[in-house]
């Protein structure tokens, strides 16, 4: 099979490497255009990135050194409601893999009275710019990236693995009599293939040619524009191992640390603020003087009608976009590729392959929309945007919010391939004080005291197991990762 991937951004490179790992004999060609470029605003990942690294064989220390990436253990949410800041920190929340909401309830209600009761290690370790290591020298399954450095690194790996990367500009798309893509008309030479993967970003060059419709989700998510700009790393010796997300007057800002700089952005609703005023507000919030933004990106939350249509699969921004919150875009690209591996072999032989793939993708994307919307349901009302809450509840949230408020999180509502599950929903719901503690107390008191103690003690036991890990500064860890990588390659350690 000959696979052609249109677009050499993060989505295209990830997809190519995953497919090449399973199908080393397939001819995979990536079409890039330096003239068009990529969105590239600085990115964070979800824990799905660890699966990608393990699957395609990317070394943790090499990644940190070559891309100047940093460790991400979660997201610190500031000013999203009238209560204290909270953290979504799966890496430090040892209960996350258990999917047991009854343990979360006991820890949340009766646990150690810390600022971050569901992630007590955040205050004692991560908020001090320290990290904890597992026996394999890995400190987290998540990272912060400079998009351009990551792109260069993944491109090199693609070339090393016989994935062709062509610099070309596609000017037209030729369809055959069945409506499939036959070849791409390009400035250098035409490109033919059997399967085409559209990673052309918001342009959606292939899917739009096929007439694949865009399904808007703006009724459920309130933001439609983002500005972004870099700032200098204020203290290279003390780097946060987390993203900071701060609620502002008409949306929220991100602050992503890499080893050399910060990536900053403001995501907002243009009915409440324009780009120039957003720049002024964010600059003031950061305490920096920025006269212009590096990127001004309009977007519409939504997805293509069919992720797999004819012989074209739409991945990354070409297939869907919700908004930058929770850094789920890269994670969804990885999940799309994972699911594709389960279906691609059967594609030529079974009629319903595309339909089944699309059902899964739709379900996973709806899960993302449900989760992101949850973040906007706090009690902040100091600006018109937060008063209006200009969106309507998804059916999932409409049905489950009354249960969440009682501490009831039905695990059957979260399918195995969903990106966000009980632990994710619980941390945000608890962080926004959407769980009614009086009702939860009454509910737990209906059980025998010994049962309550057993659950609480079990939660504490799991959390205490974290104390056996080694702790060091984030900066020290990054230096050591570079040293180890260079030492193994026999290079001069003075480069660190």
């Amino acid at each position: 099979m000959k696979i052609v991937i249109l677009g050499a951004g993060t989505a295209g490179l990830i997809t190519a490497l995953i497919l090449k790992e399973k199908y080393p004999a397939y001819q995979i060609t990536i079409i890039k255009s330096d003239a068009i470029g990529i969105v590239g605003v600085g990115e964070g990942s979800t824990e799905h990135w660890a699966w990608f690294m393990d699957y395609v064989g990317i070394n943790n220390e090499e990644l940190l050194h070559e891309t100047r990436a940093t460790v991400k253990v979660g997201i610190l949410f500031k000013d999203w409601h009238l209560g204290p800041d909270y953290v979504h920190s799966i890496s430090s929340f040892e209960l996350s893999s258990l999917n047991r909401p009854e343990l979360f309830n006991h820890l949340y209600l009766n646990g150690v009275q810390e600022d971050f009761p569901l992630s007590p290690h955040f205050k004692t370790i991560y908020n001090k710019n320290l990290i904890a290591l597992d026996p394999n020298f890995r400190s987290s399954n998540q990272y912060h990236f400079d998009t351009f450095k990551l792109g260069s690194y993944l491109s090199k790996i693609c070339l090393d693995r016989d994935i062709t990367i062509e610099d070309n500009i596609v000017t037209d798309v030729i369809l055959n009599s069945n409506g499939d893509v036959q070849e791409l008309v390009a400035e250098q030479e035409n490109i033919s293939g059997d399967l085409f993967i559209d990673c052309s970003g918001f342009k959606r060059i292939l899917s739009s040619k096929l007439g694949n419709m865009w399904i808007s989700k703006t009724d459920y998510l309130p933001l439609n524009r983002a500005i972004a700009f870099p700032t200098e790393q204020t203290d290279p010796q003390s780097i946060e191992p987390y993203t900071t997300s701060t609620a502002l007057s008409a949306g929220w800002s991100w602050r992503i640390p890499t080893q050399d700089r910060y990536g900053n952005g403001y995501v907002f609703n243009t009915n409440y603020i324009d780009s120039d005023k957003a720049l002024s507000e964010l600059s003031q919030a950061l305490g920096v003087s920025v006269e212009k933004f590096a990127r001004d990106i309009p977007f519409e939350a939504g997805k293509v009608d069919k992720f797999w249509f004819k012989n074209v699969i739409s991945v990354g921004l070409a297939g869907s976009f919700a908004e930058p919150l929770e850094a789920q875009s890269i994670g969804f690209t990885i999940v799309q590729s994972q699911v594709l591996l389960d279906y691609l072999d059967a594609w030529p032989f079974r009629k319903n392959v595309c339909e089944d793939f699309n059902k899964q993708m739709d379900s996973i994307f709806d899960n993302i929309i449900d989760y992101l919307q949850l973040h906007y349901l706090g009690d902040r009302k100091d600006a018109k945007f937060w008063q209006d809450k200009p969106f309507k509840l998804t059916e999932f949230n409409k049905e489950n919010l009354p249960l969440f408020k009682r501490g009831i999180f039905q695990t059957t509502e979260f399918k195995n391939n969903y990106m966000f599950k009980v632990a994710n929903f619980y941390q945000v719901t608890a962080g926004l004080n959407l769980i009614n503690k009086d009702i939860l107390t009454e509910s737990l008191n209906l059980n025998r005291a010994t049962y309550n103690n057993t659950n609480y003690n079990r939660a504490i036991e799991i959390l205490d197991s974290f104390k056996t890990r080694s702790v060091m500064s984030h900066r020290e860890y990054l230096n050591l990762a570079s040293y180890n990588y260079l030492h193994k390659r026999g290079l001069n350690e003075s480069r660190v």
Side-chain angles (χ1 to χ4, degrees):
M1 186 181 293
K2 182 178 181 181
I3 300 175
V4 177
I5 299 175
L6 182 58
T10 306
L13 297 168
I14 286 174
T15 305
L17 287 168
I18 290 174
L19 289 173
K20 193 68 173 179
E21 182 65 26
K22 182 174 180 179
Y23 305 105
Y26 284 7
Q27 182 181 346
I28 300 178
T29 300
I30 301 174
I31 308 301
K32 74 166 186 171
S33 172
D34 290 335
I36 296 175
I38 60 176
V39 173
V41 294
E43 295 177 290
S45 74
T46 56
E47 60 269 23
H48 305 84
W49 185 266
W51 177 90
F52 166 66
M53 287 178 61
D54 293 341
Y55 188 79
V56 306
I58 291 177
N59 177 267
N60 171 57
E61 295 166 3
E62 179 180 345
L63 175 79
L64 290 168
H65 177 80
E66 294 292 342
T67 68
R68 305 292 290 169
T70 57
V71 170
K72 174 188 173 186
V73 298
I75 305 173
L76 174 62
F77 286 93
K78 301 179 68 174
D79 302 331
W80 279 77
H81 69 122
L82 298 179
D85 298 339
Y86 74 96
V87 64
H88 174 207
S89 186
I90 292 300
S91 293
S92 65
F93 191 29
E94 300 300 288
L95 299 170
S96 60
S97 61
L98 295 180
N99 221 37
R100 291 183 59 182
E102 77 276 11
L103 296 185
F104 308 157
N105 281 334
H106 285 277
L107 189 65
Y108 176 58
L109 194 61
N110 306 312
V112 180
Q113 296 303 306
E114 301 244 8
D115 293 336
F116 308 101
L118 293 173
S119 294
H121 309 304
F122 187 85
K123 181 178 181 180
T124 58
I125 299 176
Y126 303 118
N127 208 21
K128 296 179 179 179
N129 297 344
L130 304 173
I131 58 168
L133 304 178
D134 70 13
N136 297 315
F137 193 68
R138 186 177 282 186
S139 57
S140 175
N141 290 328
Q142 306 179 50
Y143 298 83
H144 296 120
F145 300 111
D146 177 316
T147 310
F148 297 99
K149 286 184 172 65
L150 177 65
S152 297
Y153 174 66
L154 294 179
S155 295
K156 179 180 180 300
I157 297 176
C158 285
L159 293 173
D160 289 344
R161 300 182 184 184
D162 295 324
I163 296 170
T164 303
I165 301 179
E166 294 183 8
D167 193 350
N168 213 338
I169 294 180
V170 173
T171 58
D172 199 3
V173 181
I174 297 176
L175 307 181
N176 64 19
S177 58
N178 295 323
D180 291 321
V181 172
Q182 180 172 305
E183 64 178 356
L184 308 181
V185 179
E187 288 186 354
Q188 305 300 322
E189 62 178 348
N190 289 6
I191 304 139
S192 61
D194 302 304
L195 180 70
F196 293 82
I197 299 180
D198 192 349
C199 295
S200 62
F202 291 138
K203 293 181 176 64
R204 305 182 190 98
I205 292 171
L206 302 185
S207 65
S208 59
K209 181 68 176 183
L210 292 178
N212 201 354
M213 302 298 294
W214 182 254
I215 308 299
S216 176
K217 296 290 185 178
T218 55
D219 285 350
Y220 305 108
L221 290 178
L223 305 184
N224 58 13
R225 201 173 192 94
I227 59 168
F229 56 84
T231 54
E232 292 183 0
Q233 182 60 259
T234 52
D235 183 1
Q237 297 306 312
S238 184
I239 302 173
E240 307 97 297
Y242 53 88
T243 302
T244 300
S245 172
T246 305
L248 299 174
S249 68
W252 61 276
S253 69
W254 76 76
R255 186 166 172 83
I256 293 177
T258 68
Q259 295 187 43
D260 303 313
R261 68 176 193 176
Y262 283 102
N264 310 279
Y266 187 174
V267 194
F268 55 91
N269 185 311
T270 53
N271 292 322
Y272 297 87
I273 198 172
D274 61 29
S275 296
D276 291 331
K277 291 180 180 177
L279 176 64
S280 176
E281 183 182 0
L282 179 55
S283 299
Q284 185 175 356
L286 294 175
V288 298
S289 177
V290 179
E291 296 182 356
K292 62 180 181 179
F293 33 77
R295 296 274 178 167
D296 187 4
I297 308 166
F299 64 86
E300 178 185 12
K303 69 173 194 68
V304 291
D305 183 30
K306 298 179 178 67
F307 285 92
W308 192 341
F309 186 49
K310 301 291 187 179
N311 65 337
V312 173
I313 303 172
S314 299
V315 176
L317 301 181
S320 65
F321 187 69
E323 63 149 289
L325 188 61
E326 289 284 358
Q328 29 65 41
S329 186
I330 292 179
F332 189 37
T333 292
I334 294 170
V335 170
Q336 284 179 281
S337 298
Q338 282 180 309
V339 177
L340 178 59
L341 296 181
D342 294 333
Y343 285 96
L344 192 52
D345 287 337
W347 175 45
F349 310 108
R350 188 164 70 83
K351 289 183 179 180
N352 297 330
V353 165
C354 300
E355 182 180 336
D356 291 346
F357 177 87
N358 290 332
K359 285 180 180 178
Q360 280 207 50
M361 291 302 102
D362 288 347
S363 179
I364 297 168
F365 188 68
D366 285 344
N367 166 256
I368 294 173
I369 298 293
D370 295 332
Y371 183 60
L372 298 187
Q373 184 185 83
L374 185 66
H375 294 65
Y376 294 96
L377 300 181
D379 55 3
R380 179 171 175 161
K381 296 185 182 297
D382 60 320
K384 192 171 185 340
F385 168 79
W386 296 99
Q387 294 169 2
D388 291 350
K389 288 187 170 48
F391 55 88
K392 63 181 182 181
L393 287 178
T394 64
E395 289 303 313
F396 177 90
N397 284 335
K398 191 182 299 182
E399 180 179 340
N400 283 280
L401 272 173
L403 297 177
F404 292 167
K405 290 179 179 180
R406 304 183 70 89
I408 299 172
F409 291 75
Q410 294 178 273
T411 55
T412 54
E413 292 289 327
F414 302 90
K415 297 179 181 177
N416 287 335
N417 58 7
Y418 277 179
M419 282 190 60
F420 299 109
K421 301 181 181 179
V422 168
N424 307 96
F425 274 78
Y426 196 101
Q427 286 202 34
V428 174
T429 306
L432 293 173
N433 285 337
L434 294 177
I435 299 176
N436 188 307
K437 292 188 175 182
D438 291 335
I439 294 177
L440 184 57
T441 299
E442 181 181 352
S443 174
L444 295 183
N445 285 341
L446 293 175
N447 296 304
R448 292 178 291 111
T450 52
Y451 174 81
N452 292 343
N453 291 336
T454 299
N455 277 273
Y456 174 60
N457 291 337
R458 173 62 174 149
I460 293 300
E461 176 188 340
I462 295 170
L463 289 171
D464 281 347
S465 68
F466 193 85
K467 295 178 180 179
T468 61
R469 294 189 175 188
S470 300
V471 175
M472 66 173 61
S473 77
H474 189 193
R475 177 75 266 180
E476 182 182 7
Y477 172 75
L478 297 172
N479 287 345
L480 190 54
S482 285
Y483 175 89
N484 289 342
Y485 168 62
L486 294 173
H487 185 70
K488 289 173 185 175
R489 296 186 62 194
L491 300 177
N492 186 350
E493 290 83 1
S494 66
R495 286 180 53 191
V496 178

